[in-house]
Amino acid sequence: MTIAGIISAVVIGLILGLLGRLVAPGKQSIPLWLTIIVGIIAAFIGTAIARGIGYANTDGIDWLEIITQVVLAAVGVTLAANLYGRRSVNR
């Protein structure tokens, strides 16, 4: 993977993560780095699902693939917020 590929994965992950945060219900108290990670994972899984079902290669913008990725990002952000919020500090 090239530097451009890594940068584009981070940018797309950030965008998907932020869209996922907007779609997810409630307040998500997770850091930006976790949002980016969730967005990147959602992008990869959403693309795999779209290719597996057969709607990843269409003419123009692949709206169904993007919707799949955003829904996965929303689910991922919700799960991450619930798991991240359960952390407790032992003193």
Side-chain angles (χ1 to χ4, degrees):
M1 183 173 256
T2 64
I3 296 294
I6 293 170
I7 292 171
S8 65
V10 170
V11 170
I12 291 170
L14 175 64
I15 292 168
L16 283 173
L18 292 175
L19 286 173
R21 280 182 97 152
L22 287 174
V23 173
K27 184 178 186 286
Q28 297 81 30
S29 298
I30 60 173
L32 184 61
W33 64 266
L34 187 55
T35 302
I36 294 170
I37 301 269
V38 168
I40 292 170
I41 293 169
F44 284 125
I45 294 173
T47 300
I49 290 172
R51 286 184 181 167
I53 294 175
Y55 60 83
N57 296 324
T58 59
D59 294 333
I61 298 174
D62 295 325
W63 291 108
L64 291 175
E65 183 177 358
I66 293 171
I67 291 169
T68 304
Q69 291 169 336
V70 170
V71 168
L72 287 172
V75 170
V77 165
T78 302
L79 289 173
N82 287 334
L83 294 174
Y84 191 80
R86 290 186 187 170
R87 295 185 322 149
S88 63
V89 176
N90 295 328
R91 293 182 186 206

